[in-house]
Amino acid sequence: MEIRILSGSDVRRAVGMADAIGAVREAYVQVSAGEAVLPLRTPVPVEKQEGVTLFMPAYLAGSDALGAKIVSVFARNPLDGLPLIHAVVIIVDATTGRPKALMDATYLTALRTGAASGVATDLLARTDGLVAAVFGAGAQARTQLEAVCTVRPIEEVWVYDVSPEAALAYASEMKGRGQPFPSDIFVADSPAQALHQADVVCTATTSETPVFDDEDLKLGVHINGVGSYTPEMQEIPAQTVMRAKVVVDSREASLSEAGDLIKPLRQGLISEAHIHGEIGQVAAGKIPGRESDEEITFFKSVGLAAQDVAVAELILRRAQEQGL
């Protein structure tokens, strides 16, 4: 039995953001159409290290993609110069059950999470949006901006992070990468400054309290919330959730894991019916996306193994073609 092993650099070479967005969009359509077997992720806490390892399997019947991701989030890692997140994906032949590939998924996780926001921004944000705001300056924030700039002609970006040094480093790096990133990337002194003209907002933090105030948002803004993935975490103010059109990656997963929704639900501020639907339903034309220029839209993603498996299958095909 042969298993193709792909490093992080192989993954980066195999698939770019535009193709990842296409793969994730198709995965979302299959999830919402009931063509996916998608058990809720199984977390294994490692409390003495302030960490958690998550086990995430998925099968996409429509594309015959089968596999699983193992991802660890250890809060102390950055203090030692290590990534916050480490991950691997294993791809299994859906016909025989034979393991086909094992690949580094640290970058893949950031890629598919960025691609999710790319899908949502393409479907829900105003087409004339030119200004983006990014909260957080880690690996996820980099692919968030790349995805948004891939689907919208962003001309100006504001980044805010609790660490000004991290925000400065982020802005400098993104400026130097060229297309699709604009040259006008600024560090905000406050969340309000980051939001003052933002048409698209991406939050990619591990915060347990909202990262901005609702009153600082302008009408017509689209928000991608990708950082919180437990009931205790919350990036988006409850007031924003209350007045936004809320679209999720998975209704079941979001109601189990997304503190951005669970907290206002527990407080009686919204009901489950407040969730407009799943992004796969919007992509398939089953429900409407944005319906007015003034509407505030909020895409809440907790991350699905379907994204990982769909992008990993594409990476495997491209790696075979390229001899990686």
Side-chain angles (χ1 to χ4, degrees):
M1 182 175 67
E2 291 186 354
I3 298 177
R4 188 176 296 263
I5 298 176
L6 301 172
S7 68
S9 61
D10 292 330
V11 170
R12 286 178 180 270
R13 288 170 59 190
V15 170
M17 180 57 75
D19 287 339
I21 289 172
V24 169
R25 178 173 177 143
E26 176 55 32
Y28 279 149
V29 170
Q30 291 185 61
V31 168
S32 294
E35 297 177 353
V37 179
L38 200 64
L40 289 176
R41 77 182 94 212
T42 300
V44 179
V46 186
E47 294 182 359
K48 66 180 181 180
Q49 300 297 338
E50 298 180 38
V52 61
T53 295
L54 307 161
F55 295 82
M56 303 168 58
Y59 170 55
L60 296 171
S63 53
D64 238 12
L66 175 64
K69 182 169 78 171
I70 302 173
V71 56
S72 297
V73 184
F74 277 54
R76 296 182 186 175
N77 280 3
L79 299 176
D80 296 323
L82 297 172
L84 174 69
I85 297 172
H86 287 101
V88 293
V89 166
I90 186 167
I91 292 296
V92 177
D93 189 308
T95 302
T96 66
R98 176 182 66 85
K100 296 192 296 184
L102 179 71
M103 65 186 71
D104 182 284
T106 302
Y107 174 69
L108 191 158
T109 298
L111 176 65
R112 65 77 147 153
T113 305
S117 291
V119 174
T121 301
D122 195 33
L123 293 172
L124 299 174
R126 290 175 52 151
T127 57
D128 59 354
L130 300 177
V131 181
V134 179
F135 287 80
Q140 299 288 346
R142 285 159 167 78
T143 53
Q144 288 295 303
L145 181 58
E146 181 179 3
V148 168
C149 291
T150 298
V151 299
R152 287 293 183 273
I154 299 298
E155 296 180 354
E156 182 179 314
V157 178
W158 290 81
V159 57
Y160 178 80
D161 193 276
V162 292
S163 167
E165 294 80 10
L168 283 167
Y170 174 93
S172 176
E173 178 188 335
M174 296 296 102
K175 285 181 188 177
R177 291 178 61 177
Q179 292 295 326
F181 303 98
S183 57
D184 288 338
I185 302 179
F186 307 101
V187 174
D189 294 328
S190 67
Q193 186 181 28
L195 292 174
H196 71 292
Q197 292 295 327
D199 302 298
V200 180
V201 177
C202 297
T203 62
T205 77
T206 56
S207 180
E208 295 189 355
T209 57
V211 297
F212 59 79
D213 293 328
D214 175 68
E215 58 265 28
D216 292 327
L217 292 169
K218 75 175 192 178
L219 289 178
V221 69
H222 170 67
I223 304 164
N224 297 306
V226 305
S228 63
Y229 58 89
T230 72
E232 295 73 35
M233 301 168 75
Q234 182 183 21
E235 297 183 295
I236 311 303
Q239 294 84 354
T240 300
V241 176
M242 290 169 62
R243 67 188 181 115
K245 173 178 280 183
V246 178
V247 179
V248 298
D249 51 5
S250 162
R251 185 180 290 270
E252 180 186 12
S254 294
L255 290 173
S256 298
E257 300 172 346
D260 289 312
L261 301 179
I262 292 170
K263 289 187 177 183
L265 277 166
R266 288 175 177 169
Q267 295 165 7
L269 300 175
I270 62 170
S271 68
E272 292 184 12
H274 185 66
I275 298 174
H276 176 63
E278 296 180 343
I279 194 68
Q281 294 174 290
V282 180
K286 302 297 185 182
I287 60 174
R290 173 174 292 275
E291 295 179 273
S292 76
D293 285 346
E294 292 73 33
E295 189 173 37
I296 293 175
T297 54
F298 171 39
F299 171 61
K300 177 58 207 165
S301 171
V302 292
L304 305 178
Q307 299 166 249
D308 299 291
V309 171
V311 175
E313 273 283 3
L314 177 59
I315 289 168
L316 176 56
R317 291 199 302 272
R318 295 289 172 79
Q320 292 169 332
E321 294 168 2
Q322 299 173 32
L324 299 176

